[in-house]
Amino acid sequence: MLGGGCEVDESVPYDHRVPSLTGVPIQIIASVLAVAAFAATMWLWPRLGGRNWRAWLGRLGAFFGTQIAVLVAMGLVANSYFGFYSTWSDLLGLDGSPGTVVDHQPGGKAVSVTGEQKMYSSQGSAQDRSGTIQKVEIHGERSGLTGTPAYVYLPPQYFQPAYAGTRFPMLLALSGYPGTPEKLISLLQYPASTLNAIEAKQLPPTVLVMMRPTLVGNRDTECMDVPGGPQAETFFTEDLPKAMSASYRVDDRPEARAVIGDSTGGYCAVKFAVRKPDSYRSAIALSGYYEVHNDPTTGDLFGGSAEVKQDNDLLWRLRNKPAPPVSLLLATSNNEENYPATQQMVAAFKEPTKLSTITLESGGHNFHTWTREIPPALTWLGSRLAQPQPAPAG
């Protein structure tokens, strides 16, 4: 499944002396230990039936030891299935270096690399120094859908006299499913990272919109226009840009709009750019995937149509459809499940599409990994997003 002829970030040699966190051997060992702990507890329980303190401690130790063993075994199996943490260092939060962006040419040759990004902090809390976050509802005129809750971060420049009358570029940040936009603020720290990048002049002053991709209850529509169902893609690609430019001083040109997301949000981000380049000219996917399938959380996404399913397969589109004039950044790691598909995307794209990657040495499907990718992703975006422009006269 690996795409050929492409250069990526150099991987770290795997240490076979340490059992892989997602490997079958450690799951077997943990399961055997859990069964053994349960069996030992059943065998020893009659001997621990006394009323003295030793018997009490023995029963407590047997009970909690068995519970912990079972939970560890279940956790390892679940982690292997979902890919939350790929290595022990990822689980313990020891992988802290940011990712490196690699730009590619058609055929996969890496042509330039940007270095590690420094973190900057802002002093003070006044809106003219650090900006403000507003909780909003966004009503879709054409789709009939409402995005709520949504949060809009207005950078400090939005309130400064020097930028009076200026229209700003917009970045849409999407969570995964079933994520919440509040996590984009608290755990992924998008407003803080955006402000840091603006202060470091790595990103133009930008209005940030933070949302979840789910617009209809808890149904995972994968940001699709579902035949006979919710028109989520129309909301994000048509209604939202129109609402933002009407309600805020946001530039309505497609080159002034970008979208970033993790997991499901990453799939949505790339799909918006590839399918609707007049809506977003830049897209960033953190641990994203590139095709979707029906499951219990989605219901029927395709109305029984193989053509609709294929048309939402992003790898198929890069291979078979005319190349859109957009810039894409795909973030993965050498341990992630989406690594082979990302390599295939690199091998498939054609001009005028521009494609870059971030490939971490290790990382899983989790917030810690994504916080390492967001700062370099914003720097990458800074050279592609249109600068703030004076509002048209009248």
Side-chain angles (χ1 to χ4, degrees):
M1 294 178 64
L2 288 173
C6 59
E7 295 180 11
V8 298
D9 297 306
E10 186 176 345
S11 62
V12 172
Y14 179 75
D15 188 351
H16 293 278
R17 295 171 298 177
V18 180
S20 170
L21 187 59
T22 58
V24 173
I26 196 171
Q27 296 176 54
I28 294 176
I29 292 171
S31 299
V32 170
L33 290 175
V35 172
F38 177 78
T41 298
M42 297 299 293
W43 176 262
L44 294 173
W45 199 260
R47 304 183 184 183
L48 302 173
R51 296 181 179 275
N52 57 58
W53 65 271
R54 290 187 179 88
W56 276 98
L57 288 179
R59 288 196 295 270
L60 287 173
F63 177 79
F64 286 110
T66 301
Q67 296 295 312
I68 291 172
V70 171
L71 289 174
V72 168
M74 293 175 60
L76 287 170
V77 172
N79 180 70
S80 178
Y81 182 80
F82 291 104
F84 296 124
Y85 301 97
S86 60
T87 64
W88 291 100
S89 58
D90 186 27
L91 174 65
L92 298 174
L94 301 178
D95 291 329
S97 61
T100 299
V101 176
V102 177
D103 298 329
H104 298 270
Q105 289 181 338
K109 182 179 179 181
V111 295
S112 64
V113 177
T114 61
E116 293 187 350
Q117 311 304 320
K118 297 180 179 179
M119 294 298 295
Y120 294 81
S121 61
S122 175
Q123 302 297 322
S125 59
Q127 69 178 15
D128 62 343
R129 299 189 63 182
S130 58
T132 188
I133 298 174
Q134 299 179 348
K135 185 176 182 179
V136 301
E137 287 187 355
I138 300 175
H139 302 284
E141 180 180 351
R142 183 173 177 189
S143 67
L145 299 175
T146 297
T148 182
Y151 295 88
V152 174
Y153 168 67
L154 301 173
Q157 290 79 7
Y158 195 90
F159 306 98
Q160 294 171 0
Y163 288 86
T166 298
R167 300 189 75 85
F168 293 84
M170 182 191 85
L171 173 61
L172 169 64
L174 293 173
S175 70
Y177 174 87
T180 64
E182 290 82 5
K183 293 296 191 295
L184 300 175
I185 300 171
S186 61
L187 291 180
L188 292 181
Q189 299 182 346
Y190 270 105
S193 294
T194 299
L195 178 59
N196 290 339
I198 292 171
E199 290 181 334
K201 301 189 183 305
Q202 298 166 339
L203 182 74
T206 301
V207 171
L208 176 67
V209 184
M210 294 165 284
M211 298 184 63
R212 63 189 304 222
T214 304
L215 299 172
V216 184
N218 288 320
R219 182 180 180 184
D220 179 14
T221 61
E222 299 287 350
C223 298
M224 282 189 54
D225 281 350
V226 178
Q231 305 294 288
E233 185 177 39
T234 295
F235 174 88
F236 284 112
T237 59
E238 298 182 35
D239 291 338
L240 186 145
K242 182 177 179 181
M244 287 299 299
S245 62
S247 303
Y248 293 92
R249 300 199 314 274
V250 168
D251 196 330
D252 61 0
R253 297 174 299 159
E255 58 267 30
R257 293 193 293 262
V259 55
I260 183 173
D262 60 79
S263 191
T264 299
Y267 166 75
C268 296
V270 176
K271 178 165 71 173
F272 295 160
V274 170
R275 285 174 49 87
K276 303 289 182 66
D278 287 340
S279 296
Y280 301 92
R281 287 290 166 82
S282 299
I284 302 165
L286 313 177
S287 301
Y289 44 87
Y290 312 110
E291 61 176 331
V292 292
H293 306 275
N294 290 333
D295 65 36
T297 68
T298 66
D300 182 10
L301 293 174
F302 316 113
S305 170
E307 182 179 354
V308 172
K309 184 177 188 298
Q310 185 181 68
D311 205 43
N312 284 272
D313 183 329
L314 306 183
L315 180 58
W316 182 87
R317 291 188 67 91
L318 288 188
R319 287 172 171 168
N320 297 281
K321 292 282 189 176
V326 297
S327 296
L328 309 176
L329 174 59
L330 312 179
T332 183
S333 79
N334 292 321
N335 310 98
E336 277 215 75
E337 186 178 346
N338 76 334
Y339 178 83
T342 299
Q343 300 305 99
Q344 291 180 316
M345 293 283 284
V346 171
F349 85 98
K350 306 178 289 290
E351 294 285 358
T353 299
K354 307 293 183 183
L355 192 145
S356 306
T357 57
I358 295 175
T359 306
L360 298 178
E361 294 172 347
S362 64
H365 207 78
N366 57 67
F367 292 111
H368 176 65
T369 295
W370 301 327
T371 56
R372 297 164 58 199
E373 296 165 340
I374 289 172
L378 294 178
T379 298
W380 172 89
L381 181 61
S383 63
R384 290 157 177 83
L385 198 60
Q387 296 290 322
Q389 297 289 324

